[in-house]
């Protein structure tokens, strides 16, 4: 009954590499021959191309998405105890970046449909120490930005977007990354736009923010060996930038395929009992970095799929406020019932542009079979 020869990976980055191998190999080879590996023409060109893609004036390449967040918050001049409002249902790096800056995270719960920031909860969390709102466009589904922009305007707050999962996503027909004072992207290999190693970028329309991040990523250097800030070594390297320049040309095409795959999953799974398909609000373009379903029998379904060769993920199994690293600080207060509930019910199905229709059908047939087996008395 169980066909163990079929394997559907959660992601397969090699398939994509094979499609663009010639171009990528050539660009990497050029970098090797140039002898220039740090802050050269590829980084500069990619920054320009990515800024243009997002529709902002400046982009500054850094070493990771985490660094992008950390440097943005540093540039905004947070002081000890200043508060940053974000969500517990996110990758831990969002909150780490706040802690690196000695600021305090204040959580608002997520919305039970989109699993992203419930913006209606933000106003209640404001105090006189609130400085920054940090929405996370989790899974590639944009946060409802208009109410946040209004709150920021009324209360003189800054907005940093965590767009690490949302390359190519749109809110009201504008690219995610163009709404906040600045936005942060990750080029971790499995992201919608991924390097072949670590990388990240800060995008902004604010020249001062761009200049400061540019200095901070390179030891706070104003000019060679003259340092006006205590900075970091956090640079996007030439090889990664060369790879990203190739891949950026395909990004919109890949997002469209992700959306078609999501559509196909939706069609095939919409009737399955006890399975909730992801929602996409009418005012957004979801970039489907991950395709997340919800079921009360999550662990059973995950094992069921695994025994049929289907790899899945959980994004994420523990909300940040309940992670040991933060629990032991005892600083995070409040309960977040939606985040706490969904972590036991969410399941991410295989999602990458090179997934075949046969694979999608195989995954869905297995989910459906599980649903039927559960529905039986
Ligand atoms: C991946 C990710 C990060 C961190 O990016 P890295 O490049 O891995 O440092 C931060 N926030 C979210 C939501 C992410 O998905």
């Amino acid at each position: 009954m169980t066909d163990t020869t079929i394997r559907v990976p959660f992601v397969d980055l090699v398939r994509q590499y094979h499609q663009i191998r010639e171009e990528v190999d050539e660009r990497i080879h050029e970098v090797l021959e140039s002898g220039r590996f740090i802050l050269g023409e590829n980084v500069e060109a990619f920054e320009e191309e990515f800024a243009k893609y997002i529709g902002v004036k400046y982009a500054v390449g850094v070493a990771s998405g985490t660094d992008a967040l950390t440097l943005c918050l540093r540039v905004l001049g947070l002081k000890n105890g200043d508060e940053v409002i974000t969500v517990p249902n996110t990758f831990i790096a969002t909150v780490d970046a706040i802690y690196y800056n000695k600021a305090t995270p204040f959580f608002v719960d997520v919305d039970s449909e989109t699993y992203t920031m419930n913006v209606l909860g933000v106003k209640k969390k404001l105090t006189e120490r609130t400085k920054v709102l940090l929405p996370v466009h989790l899974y590639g589904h944009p946060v409802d930005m208009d109410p946040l922009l209004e709150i920021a305007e009324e209360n003189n707050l800054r907005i940093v977007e965590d767009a690490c999962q949302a390359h190519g996503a749109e809110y009201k027909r504008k690219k995610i990354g163009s709404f906040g004072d600045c936005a942060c992207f990750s080029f971790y290999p499995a992201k919608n736009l991924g390097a072949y190693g670590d990388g990240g970028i800060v995008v902004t329309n604010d020249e001062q923010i761009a200049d400061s991040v540019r200095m901070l990523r390179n030891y706070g250097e104003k000019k060679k060996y003259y340092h006006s800030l205590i900075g970091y070594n956090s640079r996007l390297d030439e090889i990664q930038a060369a790879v990203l320049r190739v891949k950026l040309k395909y990004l919109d095409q890949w997002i469209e395929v992700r959306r078609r795959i999501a559509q196909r999953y939706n069609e095939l799974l919409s009737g399955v009992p006890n399975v909730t398909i992801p929602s996409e609000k009418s005012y957004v373009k979801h970039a489907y970095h991950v395709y997340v379903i919800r079921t009360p029998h999550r662990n059973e379904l995950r094992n069921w799929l695994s025994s049929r060769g289907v790899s899945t993920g959980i994004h994420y199994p523990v909300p940040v406020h309940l992670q040991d690293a933060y629990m032991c600080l005892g600083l995070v207060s409040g309960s977040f019932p939606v985040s706490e509930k969904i972590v036991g019910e969410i399941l991410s199905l295989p999602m990458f542009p090179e997934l075949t229709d046969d694979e999608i059908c195989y995954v869905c047939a297995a989910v459906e079979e599980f649903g039927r087996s559960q529905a039986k008395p």
Side-chain angles (χ1 to χ4, degrees):
M1 199 185 82
T2 305
D3 183 351
T4 50
T5 61
I6 295 182
R7 289 257 167 280
V8 184
F10 180 64
V11 290
D12 181 347
L13 301 176
V14 178
R15 290 189 204 176
Q16 184 174 85
Y17 169 58
H18 287 166
Q19 288 179 359
I20 55 174
R21 172 154 60 188
E22 237 176 84
E23 234 178 323
V24 165
D25 287 3
E26 206 174 300
R27 294 290 100 79
I28 290 177
H29 191 74
E30 279 171 15
V31 175
L32 298 181
E33 287 292 344
S34 78
R36 174 117 200 215
F37 301 102
I38 302 292
L39 298 181
E41 62 182 41
N42 280 293
V43 169
E44 203 171 305
F46 176 68
E47 288 174 343
E48 230 166 79
E49 290 158 9
F50 194 75
K52 190 159 167 246
Y53 176 80
I54 299 296
V56 295
K57 289 193 195 143
Y58 311 100
V60 184
V62 295
S64 69
T66 307
D67 280 7
L69 288 160
T70 306
L71 298 187
C72 276
L73 291 173
R74 161 102 187 250
V75 163
L76 295 182
L78 290 176
K79 287 186 289 293
N80 243 335
D82 282 348
E83 290 159 9
V84 178
I85 294 183
T86 191
V87 288
N89 183 41
T90 182
F91 182 58
I92 197 158
T94 312
V95 184
D96 290 342
I98 298 170
Y99 263 93
Y100 297 154
N101 281 283
K102 300 187 167 55
T104 307
F106 255 40
F107 291 121
V108 286
D109 209 350
V110 295
D111 173 76
S112 60
E113 264 182 51
T114 62
Y115 318 136
T116 61
M117 183 180 266
N118 181 352
V119 294
L120 299 175
V122 172
K123 267 192 185 154
K124 280 185 295 222
K125 299 283 172 167
L126 300 177
T127 77
E128 63 279 14
R129 305 224 57 181
T130 311
K131 292 284 149 51
V132 175
L133 306 178
L134 207 176
V136 184
H137 307 294
L138 201 70
Y139 311 142
H141 190 294
V143 171
D144 191 3
M145 292 304 293
D146 278 347
L148 276 192
L149 288 162
E150 203 175 294
I151 293 169
E153 174 83 37
E154 279 167 6
N155 297 278
N156 195 25
L157 308 174
R158 314 299 291 268
I159 295 182
V160 176
E161 293 175 72
D162 183 339
C164 287
Q165 299 191 3
H167 322 65
E170 293 176 14
Y171 175 74
K172 299 189 177 172
R173 299 183 174 274
K174 248 179 86 186
K175 284 255 159 44
I176 281 306
S178 58
F179 293 92
D181 293 277
C182 48
C184 305
F185 291 86
S186 163
F187 301 124
Y188 179 79
K191 300 286 161 94
N192 283 7
L193 178 61
Y196 293 141
D198 275 311
I201 205 162
V202 171
V203 300
T204 181
N205 281 314
D206 184 325
E207 189 177 10
Q208 237 175 330
I209 292 178
D211 286 346
S212 300
V213 173
R214 206 170 280 120
M215 272 199 274
L216 284 173
R217 75 169 171 187
N218 196 31
Y219 308 109
E221 232 176 49
K222 206 174 175 85
K223 60 179 191 183
K224 191 114 185 125
Y225 303 138
Y226 290 81
H227 306 267
S228 38
L229 295 164
I230 300 175
Y232 307 82
N233 175 350
S234 179
R235 299 168 301 216
L236 181 65
D237 71 69
E238 280 289 294
I239 289 181
Q240 301 309 335
V243 169
L244 290 164
R245 290 184 71 193
V246 173
K247 288 189 162 199
L248 182 59
K249 292 186 290 184
Y250 300 100
L251 181 58
D252 278 336
Q253 191 179 314
W254 287 333
I255 302 286
E256 283 317 309
V257 182
R258 282 177 183 274
R259 292 176 54 74
R260 279 208 295 278
I261 292 169
Q263 185 84 45
R264 193 84 177 107
Y265 270 134
N266 288 347
E267 282 164 23
L268 295 169
L269 296 176
S270 55
V272 180
N274 285 324
V275 168
T276 308
I277 59 173
S279 85
E280 177 172 350
K281 292 286 184 193
S282 58
Y283 47 79
V284 308
K285 179 174 175 181
H286 196 323
Y288 290 101
H289 170 55
V290 275
Y291 181 89
V292 179
I293 61 169
R294 209 171 143 188
T295 170
H297 315 291
R298 194 269 312 281
N299 292 344
E300 294 88 334
L301 175 58
R302 189 168 202 219
N303 291 336
W304 176 280
L305 290 174
S306 168
S307 71
R308 284 155 181 77
V310 177
S311 300
T312 56
I314 299 173
H315 300 94
Y316 294 90
V318 181
V320 176
H321 68 290
L322 298 180
Q323 292 281 358
D324 287 345
Y326 286 103
M327 286 280 277
C328 72
L329 293 176
L331 293 173
V332 182
S333 60
S335 78
F336 308 95
V338 180
S339 297
E340 287 165 25
K341 183 166 169 56
I342 65 169
V343 293
E345 300 187 342
I346 48 179
L347 186 67
S348 310
L349 299 183
M351 170 56 89
F352 54 100
E354 297 74 25
L355 197 63
T356 67
D357 197 57
D358 282 351
E359 289 173 319
I360 299 166
C361 290
Y362 180 82
V363 172
C364 292
V367 174
E368 203 185 339
E369 202 190 338
F370 175 82
R372 268 188 278 123
S373 78
Q374 291 291 310
K376 275 189 207 133

